[in-house]
Amino acid sequence: MPSYNRTFDLSIADVDLIEEALRARGRELSRMRLALTEENPAHLESIRVIEQDQRMGEELLGRLHDQKIFYRPRKAVYVGG
């Protein structure tokens, strides 16, 4: 039985594109969520699904961020920002 591919060859540009797509999806979900009201019982299930999808996207963005290695110049002065 074949196993999962556990190694990926993604460039920094690929990861940036994935992150931007996840952020765009998050903005879209936020707009959808704002269009729904909690007073309407028909909207409650949609709100739950949207919020769950938002949470999953944010968790994925967090995992991507946690895997990054940030470098600081050794000889030059580091200016954070």
Side-chain angles (χ1 to χ4, degrees):
M1 178 173 207
S3 63
Y4 293 109
N5 178 13
R6 299 212 180 261
T7 57
F8 295 93
D9 187 22
L10 298 175
S11 70
I12 293 172
D14 295 337
V15 175
D16 283 341
L17 181 63
I18 292 167
E19 287 178 335
E20 187 53 41
L22 285 169
R23 288 187 189 102
R25 177 68 177 153
R27 289 189 296 270
E28 178 185 340
L29 289 169
S30 292
R31 281 189 225 107
M32 290 169 57
R33 172 61 181 92
L34 288 173
L36 301 174
T37 61
E38 293 183 8
E39 290 98 26
N40 188 342
H43 292 172
L44 292 178
E45 181 63 21
S46 297
I47 289 171
R48 188 189 66 75
V49 171
I50 289 170
E51 288 176 348
Q52 181 180 9
D53 198 8
Q54 283 177 311
R55 200 171 309 111
M56 287 173 38
E58 289 297 318
E59 288 173 359
L60 178 53
L61 277 170
R63 287 194 306 272
L64 284 172
H65 178 79
D66 290 344
Q67 292 183 30
K68 290 181 181 180
I69 299 172
F70 296 95
Y71 294 97
R72 292 184 176 197
R74 292 179 189 246
K75 296 182 180 180
V77 175
Y78 175 72
V79 179

XYZ file of all heavy atoms in Angstrom:
662
model
N 0.851 -1.177 0.000
C 0.000 0.000 0.000
C 0.894 1.236 0.000
O 1.821 1.335 0.792
C -0.889 -0.035 1.239
C -1.783 1.137 1.373
S -2.894 0.860 2.748
C -4.235 1.857 2.233
N 0.617 2.208 -0.870
C 1.459 3.403 -0.928
C 1.303 4.243 0.336
O 0.253 4.259 0.976
C 0.948 4.154 -2.149
C -0.391 3.604 -2.442
C -0.437 2.224 -1.862
N 2.378 4.936 0.676
C 2.332 5.793 1.862
C 2.287 7.253 1.426
O 2.473 7.585 0.261
C 3.557 5.531 2.737
O 4.722 5.874 2.032
N 2.068 8.122 2.381
C 2.001 9.544 2.121
C 3.375 10.099 1.796
O 4.383 9.652 2.327
C 1.459 10.292 3.341
C 0.014 9.988 3.643
C -0.330 9.243 4.749
C -0.990 10.473 2.819
C -1.655 8.978 5.038
C -2.320 10.214 3.086
C -2.645 9.463 4.198
O -3.945 9.213 4.470
N 3.408 11.110 0.936
C 4.640 11.834 0.653
C 4.879 12.801 1.810
O 4.096 13.703 2.040
C 4.512 12.601 -0.662
C 5.742 13.417 -0.976
O 6.781 13.249 -0.353
N 5.618 14.294 -1.946
N 5.936 12.606 2.555
C 6.206 13.440 3.722
C 7.248 14.518 3.448
O 7.583 15.293 4.321
C 6.651 12.568 4.889
C 5.567 11.568 5.271
C 5.605 11.293 6.744
N 4.593 10.348 7.102
C 3.417 10.688 7.622
N 3.119 11.922 7.806
N 2.540 9.758 7.942
N 7.772 14.560 2.241
C 8.738 15.598 1.890
C 8.172 16.416 0.740
O 7.655 15.879 -0.234
C 10.087 14.990 1.462
O 9.865 14.110 0.365
C 10.713 14.216 2.609
N 8.255 17.723 0.868
C 7.743 18.624 -0.143
C 8.856 19.557 -0.573
O 9.671 19.986 0.242
C 6.578 19.449 0.412
C 5.391 18.606 0.759
C 5.228 18.114 2.045
C 4.448 18.299 -0.198
C 4.142 17.326 2.364
C 3.357 17.516 0.118
C 3.201 17.029 1.401
N 8.889 19.872 -1.848
C 9.890 20.778 -2.384
C 9.182 22.070 -2.771
O 8.800 22.260 -3.925
C 10.574 20.139 -3.592
C 11.735 20.965 -4.094
O 12.267 21.762 -3.304
O 12.100 20.805 -5.266
N 8.981 22.943 -1.784
C 8.304 24.216 -2.013
C 9.312 25.340 -1.880
O 10.149 25.340 -0.978
C 7.186 24.422 -0.988
C 6.050 23.413 -1.008
C 5.097 23.672 0.143
C 5.308 23.464 -2.325
N 9.194 26.319 -2.761
C 10.067 27.486 -2.654
C 9.445 28.481 -1.682
O 8.285 28.347 -1.276
C 10.244 28.130 -4.025
O 9.033 28.743 -4.434
N 10.201 29.493 -1.341
C 9.684 30.546 -0.458
C 8.506 31.239 -1.131
O 7.508 31.565 -0.479
C 10.802 31.536 -0.105
C 11.846 30.831 0.753
C 10.251 32.751 0.616
C 13.084 31.638 1.017
N 8.596 31.432 -2.440
C 7.493 32.052 -3.175
C 6.237 31.184 -3.114
O 5.123 31.711 -3.016
C 7.905 32.292 -4.627
N 6.405 29.868 -3.162
C 5.258 28.957 -3.052
C 4.577 29.109 -1.700
O 3.346 29.179 -1.614
C 5.698 27.503 -3.235
C 6.230 27.200 -4.613
O 5.895 27.926 -5.567
O 7.005 26.221 -4.733
N 5.371 29.155 -0.645
C 4.819 29.287 0.705
C 4.136 30.645 0.863
O 3.055 30.745 1.451
C 5.915 29.078 1.773
C 5.376 29.344 3.161
C 6.469 27.663 1.680
N 4.730 31.698 0.310
C 4.102 33.018 0.350
C 2.756 33.011 -0.361
O 1.786 33.603 0.122
C 5.005 34.075 -0.285
C 6.143 34.488 0.618
O 6.058 34.251 1.841
O 7.124 35.059 0.102
N 2.695 32.340 -1.505
C 1.447 32.255 -2.250
C 0.382 31.504 -1.444
O -0.780 31.918 -1.391
C 1.690 31.567 -3.596
C 0.478 31.425 -4.513
C -0.059 32.792 -4.913
C 0.873 30.633 -5.745
N 0.766 30.425 -0.802
C -0.166 29.657 0.034
C -0.669 30.510 1.189
O -1.870 30.546 1.486
C 0.510 28.366 0.550
C 0.776 27.411 -0.614
C -0.336 27.695 1.622
C 1.693 26.258 -0.277
N 0.239 31.233 1.847
C -0.155 32.083 2.974
C -1.109 33.183 2.518
O -2.110 33.460 3.189
C 1.068 32.696 3.635
C 1.874 31.708 4.433
C 3.116 32.339 5.046
O 3.616 33.361 4.513
O 3.578 31.813 6.062
N -0.814 33.816 1.386
C -1.685 34.879 0.889
C -3.052 34.330 0.512
O -4.080 34.973 0.757
C -1.047 35.585 -0.305
C -1.804 36.797 -0.770
C -2.100 37.818 0.329
O -1.220 38.064 1.172
O -3.217 38.366 0.335
N -3.108 33.141 -0.064
C -4.390 32.522 -0.401
C -5.200 32.220 0.867
O -6.417 32.429 0.894
C -4.161 31.248 -1.206
N -4.527 31.757 1.907
C -5.219 31.483 3.172
C -5.740 32.775 3.797
O -6.841 32.806 4.349
C -4.287 30.759 4.147
C -4.033 29.290 3.843
C -2.888 28.763 4.704
C -5.287 28.475 4.075
N -4.954 33.841 3.715
C -5.414 35.137 4.250
C -6.599 35.672 3.456
O -7.551 36.215 4.026
C -4.274 36.135 4.261
C -3.249 35.839 5.318
C -2.205 36.944 5.418
N -1.137 36.523 6.289
C 0.047 36.091 5.873
N 0.330 36.065 4.583
N 0.953 35.706 6.731
N -6.558 35.528 2.120
C -7.675 35.976 1.283
C -8.936 35.179 1.617
O -10.032 35.742 1.694
C -7.320 35.829 -0.194
N -8.771 33.884 1.828
C -9.915 33.048 2.207
C -10.465 33.474 3.563
O -11.673 33.517 3.773
C -9.481 31.574 2.238
C -10.558 30.619 2.686
C -11.683 30.523 1.701
N -12.634 29.524 2.175
C -13.911 29.539 1.886
N -14.393 30.453 1.074
N -14.708 28.623 2.368
N -9.567 33.822 4.486
C -10.006 34.303 5.794
C -10.804 35.595 5.682
O -11.821 35.771 6.366
N -10.357 36.518 4.815
C -11.112 37.763 4.608
C -12.482 37.480 4.018
O -13.488 38.078 4.418
C -10.320 38.709 3.704
C -9.106 39.311 4.373
C -8.472 40.410 3.527
N -7.956 39.924 2.261
C -6.725 39.469 2.069
N -5.870 39.423 3.087
N -6.324 39.061 0.871
N -12.529 36.545 3.067
C -13.799 36.180 2.450
C -14.756 35.578 3.486
O -15.943 35.916 3.531
C -13.544 35.176 1.322
C -14.780 34.690 0.625
C -14.473 33.610 -0.407
O -13.324 33.501 -0.849
O -15.412 32.866 -0.747
N -14.238 34.707 4.319
C -15.074 34.098 5.367
C -15.550 35.143 6.366
O -16.688 35.075 6.846
C -14.301 32.985 6.079
C -14.065 31.714 5.260
C -13.074 30.806 5.976
C -15.377 30.994 5.001
N -14.699 36.103 6.685
C -15.101 37.165 7.615
C -16.255 37.979 7.046
O -17.205 38.315 7.759
C -13.923 38.091 7.918
O -12.952 37.415 8.664
N -16.176 38.302 5.753
C -17.279 39.035 5.117
C -18.562 38.214 5.132
O -19.649 38.748 5.374
C -16.904 39.416 3.687
C -16.005 40.619 3.624
C -15.821 41.103 2.184
N -14.407 41.365 2.025
C -13.556 40.623 1.331
N -13.974 39.585 0.669
N -12.292 40.926 1.274
N -18.427 36.913 4.864
C -19.607 36.042 4.890
C -20.210 35.996 6.286
O -21.429 36.046 6.452
C -19.227 34.632 4.432
C -18.885 34.530 2.968
S -18.127 32.949 2.502
C -19.352 31.767 3.019
N -19.347 35.916 7.300
C -19.811 35.837 8.690
C -20.527 37.120 9.097
O -21.548 37.086 9.779
C -18.617 35.557 9.614
C -18.898 35.642 11.099
C -19.945 34.644 11.520
N -20.235 34.729 12.925
C -21.199 35.473 13.447
N -21.960 36.227 12.670
N -21.427 35.482 14.749
N -19.983 38.269 8.671
C -20.609 39.538 9.016
C -21.973 39.713 8.362
O -22.822 40.440 8.881
C -19.691 40.703 8.624
C -18.447 40.875 9.489
C -17.534 41.937 8.890
C -18.830 41.230 10.912
N -22.196 39.053 7.242
C -23.477 39.161 6.547
C -24.579 38.367 7.246
O -25.768 38.609 6.994
C -23.335 38.684 5.107
N -24.203 37.454 8.130
C -25.186 36.620 8.820
C -25.451 37.168 10.221
O -24.555 37.690 10.878
C -24.681 35.181 8.918
C -24.382 34.485 7.592
C -23.765 33.129 7.847
C -25.635 34.356 6.755
N -26.691 37.004 10.674
C -27.046 37.451 12.019
C -27.361 36.254 12.893
O -27.909 35.250 12.430
C -28.273 38.381 11.985
O -29.373 37.656 11.441
C -28.005 39.619 11.155
N -27.001 36.382 14.160
C -27.260 35.288 15.100
C -28.730 35.230 15.515
O -29.170 34.223 16.070
C -26.360 35.433 16.317
C -24.901 35.218 15.983
C -24.008 35.294 17.206
O -24.523 35.370 18.328
O -22.785 35.272 17.009
N -29.470 36.299 15.271
C -30.890 36.289 15.632
C -31.702 35.365 14.734
O -32.747 34.876 15.123
C -31.487 37.703 15.559
C -30.989 38.635 16.634
C -29.865 39.525 16.127
O -29.797 39.777 14.907
O -29.055 39.938 16.948
N -31.216 35.146 13.523
C -31.921 34.282 12.582
C -31.489 32.830 12.809
O -30.335 32.485 12.577
C -31.601 34.721 11.145
C -32.439 33.988 10.122
O -33.018 32.945 10.408
N -32.485 34.528 8.925
N -32.403 31.967 13.247
C -32.036 30.570 13.517
C -31.515 29.835 12.276
O -30.715 28.902 12.394
C -33.335 29.935 14.007
C -34.230 31.050 14.375
C -33.790 32.251 13.586
N -31.921 30.250 11.100
C -31.466 29.595 9.877
C -29.985 29.855 9.620
O -29.327 29.088 8.930
C -32.290 30.080 8.685
N -29.454 30.923 10.180
C -28.055 31.284 9.979
C -27.105 30.587 10.953
O -25.900 30.580 10.714
C -27.862 32.795 10.115
C -28.497 33.584 9.016
N -28.571 34.959 9.054
C -29.083 33.217 7.849
C -29.171 35.397 7.970
N -29.503 34.354 7.227
N -27.622 30.034 12.027
C -26.753 29.501 13.085
C -25.828 28.389 12.590
O -24.646 28.360 12.935
C -27.592 29.013 14.266
C -28.309 30.118 15.046
C -29.152 29.513 16.156
C -27.313 31.109 15.606
N -26.324 27.473 11.783
C -25.477 26.390 11.276
C -24.422 26.934 10.324
O -23.264 26.522 10.361
C -26.324 25.321 10.575
C -25.529 24.161 10.034
C -24.812 23.360 11.111
O -25.196 23.417 12.279
O -23.844 22.654 10.755
N -24.804 27.886 9.474
C -23.834 28.503 8.562
C -22.746 29.238 9.337
O -21.572 29.167 8.975
C -24.542 29.481 7.628
O -25.465 28.805 6.806
N -23.127 29.927 10.391
C -22.157 30.639 11.223
C -21.175 29.650 11.839
O -19.966 29.881 11.853
C -22.885 31.465 12.311
C -23.602 32.650 11.671
C -21.909 31.936 13.380
C -24.525 33.390 12.619
N -21.681 28.537 12.335
C -20.818 27.533 12.947
C -19.809 26.981 11.931
O -18.619 26.857 12.224
C -21.657 26.388 13.524
C -20.852 25.387 14.339
C -21.674 24.168 14.712
N -22.062 23.370 13.562
C -21.234 22.565 12.875
N -19.976 22.470 13.225
N -21.662 21.868 11.843
N -20.273 26.688 10.717
C -19.389 26.150 9.673
C -18.346 27.186 9.270
O -17.154 26.870 9.120
C -20.217 25.683 8.455
C -19.320 25.341 7.278
C -21.083 24.493 8.829
N -18.757 28.432 9.105
C -17.825 29.500 8.725
C -16.764 29.685 9.794
O -15.566 29.790 9.496
C -18.588 30.817 8.464
C -19.393 30.703 7.166
C -17.622 32.000 8.403
C -20.364 31.843 6.938
N -17.182 29.730 11.062
C -16.222 29.927 12.144
C -15.262 28.748 12.267
O -14.082 28.929 12.551
C -16.951 30.189 13.461
C -17.597 31.563 13.483
C -18.409 31.829 14.734
O -18.677 30.875 15.505
O -18.792 32.997 14.934
N -15.737 27.542 12.021
C -14.865 26.369 12.050
C -13.841 26.445 10.917
O -12.663 26.149 11.113
C -15.700 25.094 11.932
C -14.883 23.826 11.983
C -15.743 22.576 11.851
O -16.930 22.656 11.559
N -15.150 21.434 12.081
N -14.285 26.863 9.735
C -13.382 27.005 8.595
C -12.343 28.098 8.858
O -11.162 27.937 8.536
C -14.188 27.323 7.335
C -13.419 27.072 6.057
O -12.307 26.509 6.124
O -13.935 27.434 4.983
N -12.765 29.202 9.480
C -11.831 30.269 9.841
C -10.770 29.749 10.816
O -9.583 30.030 10.660
C -12.574 31.435 10.494
C -13.312 32.310 9.528
C -14.086 33.397 10.250
O -14.819 33.118 11.206
N -13.935 34.616 9.790
N -11.193 29.005 11.795
C -10.278 28.460 12.801
C -9.252 27.522 12.157
O -8.058 27.596 12.454
C -11.074 27.723 13.882
C -10.348 27.520 15.177
C -11.258 26.984 16.283
N -12.479 27.754 16.440
C -13.709 27.315 16.135
N -13.895 26.101 15.669
N -14.764 28.094 16.305
N -9.714 26.668 11.252
C -8.803 25.739 10.578
C -7.769 26.490 9.741
O -6.587 26.138 9.732
C -9.590 24.766 9.698
C -10.347 23.728 10.491
S -11.455 22.668 9.519
C -10.595 22.389 8.018
N -8.199 27.546 9.041
C -7.279 28.341 8.242
C -6.249 29.057 9.100
O -5.054 29.089 8.761
N -6.684 29.615 10.223
C -5.759 30.308 11.120
C -4.763 29.330 11.753
O -3.591 29.656 11.930
C -6.528 31.056 12.215
C -7.271 32.270 11.709
C -6.340 33.330 11.149
O -5.278 33.586 11.758
O -6.672 33.888 10.094
N -5.228 28.134 12.086
C -4.321 27.131 12.650
C -3.277 26.704 11.624
O -2.103 26.525 11.964
C -5.118 25.923 13.152
C -5.900 26.210 14.413
C -6.826 25.074 14.813
O -6.890 24.050 14.092
O -7.490 25.214 15.853
N -3.684 26.565 10.370
C -2.734 26.215 9.316
C -1.715 27.331 9.110
O -0.515 27.076 8.993
C -3.465 25.910 8.007
C -2.587 25.571 6.805
C -1.612 24.439 7.130
C -3.447 25.229 5.612
N -2.167 28.583 9.114
C -1.232 29.702 9.015
C -0.250 29.694 10.183
O 0.938 29.958 10.009
C -1.994 31.029 8.986
C -2.534 31.470 7.635
C -3.465 32.664 7.795
C -1.410 31.804 6.689
N -0.734 29.362 11.355
C 0.134 29.293 12.532
C 1.170 28.190 12.398
O 2.341 28.380 12.740
N 0.761 27.034 11.888
C 1.726 25.940 11.706
C 2.781 26.295 10.667
O 3.960 25.983 10.836
C 0.996 24.648 11.321
C 0.230 24.031 12.473
C -0.197 22.604 12.183
N -0.944 22.439 10.952
C -2.274 22.555 10.837
N -2.997 22.865 11.892
N -2.863 22.355 9.666
N 2.373 26.968 9.595
C 3.346 27.425 8.601
C 4.333 28.405 9.218
O 5.538 28.333 8.990
C 2.637 28.077 7.410
C 1.959 27.146 6.422
C 1.137 27.950 5.418
C 2.973 26.296 5.706
N 3.813 29.322 10.017
C 4.672 30.318 10.665
C 5.655 29.644 11.625
O 6.833 30.008 11.669
C 3.829 31.343 11.415
C 4.635 32.354 12.147
N 5.207 33.431 11.512
C 4.986 32.439 13.439
C 5.877 34.141 12.401
N 5.752 33.564 13.576
N 5.190 28.659 12.362
C 6.050 27.986 13.340
C 7.181 27.201 12.685
O 8.198 26.933 13.319
C 5.222 27.044 14.217
C 4.310 27.799 15.166
O 4.528 29.008 15.371
O 3.372 27.172 15.693
N 7.035 26.841 11.421
C 8.070 26.069 10.740
C 9.123 26.946 10.075
O 10.142 26.453 9.616
C 7.434 25.155 9.688
C 6.615 24.053 10.315
C 6.054 23.106 9.278
O 6.637 22.897 8.230
N 4.898 22.525 9.581
N 8.875 28.243 10.052
C 9.841 29.146 9.431
C 11.039 29.344 10.347
O 10.928 29.289 11.568
C 9.203 30.506 9.160
C 8.170 30.488 8.071
C 7.632 31.876 7.877
C 6.565 31.917 6.822
N 6.038 33.273 6.648
N 12.175 29.576 9.744
C 13.383 29.910 10.486
C 13.753 31.326 10.086
O 13.997 31.620 8.916
C 14.540 28.939 10.155
C 14.144 27.521 10.534
C 15.810 29.368 10.863
C 15.134 26.472 10.083
N 13.790 32.218 11.066
C 14.075 33.615 10.797
C 15.547 33.883 11.093
O 16.083 33.465 12.110
C 13.182 34.513 11.660
C 11.716 34.347 11.333
C 10.922 33.469 12.055
C 11.150 35.052 10.293
C 9.581 33.322 11.746
C 9.814 34.896 9.977
C 9.033 34.031 10.700
N 16.182 34.585 10.189
C 17.606 34.872 10.325
C 17.822 36.342 10.627
O 17.102 37.202 10.154
C 18.343 34.511 9.028
C 18.336 33.044 8.747
C 17.404 32.482 7.883
C 19.251 32.197 9.352
C 17.391 31.129 7.630
C 19.241 30.835 9.104
C 18.318 30.320 8.243
O 18.302 28.978 8.001
N 18.847 36.613 11.412
C 19.282 37.977 11.683
C 20.712 38.112 11.189
O 21.499 37.178 11.320
C 19.252 38.268 13.183
C 17.870 38.301 13.749
C 17.918 38.680 15.195
N 16.561 38.804 15.695
C 16.249 39.413 16.804
N 17.177 39.927 17.551
N 15.001 39.493 17.180
N 21.055 39.262 10.648
C 22.433 39.441 10.202
C 23.401 39.381 11.379
O 23.123 39.924 12.448
C 22.423 40.819 9.548
C 21.196 41.490 10.046
C 20.234 40.423 10.425
N 24.521 38.701 11.197
C 25.484 38.551 12.283
C 26.385 39.764 12.438
O 26.756 40.132 13.533
C 26.339 37.312 12.054
C 25.537 36.051 12.176
C 26.416 34.843 11.912
N 25.601 33.644 11.830
C 25.675 32.660 12.718
N 26.517 32.707 13.697
N 24.908 31.615 12.577
N 26.723 40.396 11.321
C 27.681 41.482 11.386
C 27.022 42.855 11.350
O 27.539 43.808 11.889
C 28.688 41.362 10.252
C 29.524 40.113 10.384
C 30.560 40.022 9.294
C 31.356 38.738 9.487
N 32.380 38.571 8.483
N 25.895 42.961 10.712
C 25.205 44.248 10.603
C 24.280 44.452 11.793
O 23.939 43.523 12.508
C 24.429 44.309 9.307
N 23.866 45.686 11.983
C 22.931 46.010 13.047
C 21.538 45.549 12.610
O 21.106 45.820 11.505
C 22.937 47.536 13.328
C 21.872 47.888 14.354
C 24.305 47.975 13.773
N 20.858 44.836 13.505
C 19.520 44.349 13.198
C 18.504 45.406 13.590
O 18.499 45.897 14.709
C 19.241 43.056 13.943
C 17.826 42.565 13.774
C 17.403 42.038 12.555
C 16.893 42.662 14.796
C 16.113 41.609 12.374
C 15.599 42.218 14.625
C 15.209 41.692 13.403
O 13.932 41.270 13.226
N 17.639 45.774 12.647
C 16.560 46.706 12.912
C 15.262 45.935 12.740
O 14.897 45.559 11.638
C 16.619 47.913 11.940
C 15.465 48.864 12.227
C 17.952 48.627 12.050
N 14.614 45.665 13.851
C 13.365 44.910 13.797
C 12.213 45.793 13.376
O 12.269 47.000 13.414
N 11.137 45.160 12.992
C 10.007 45.985 12.620
C 8.951 45.158 12.096
O 7.927 45.117 11.868
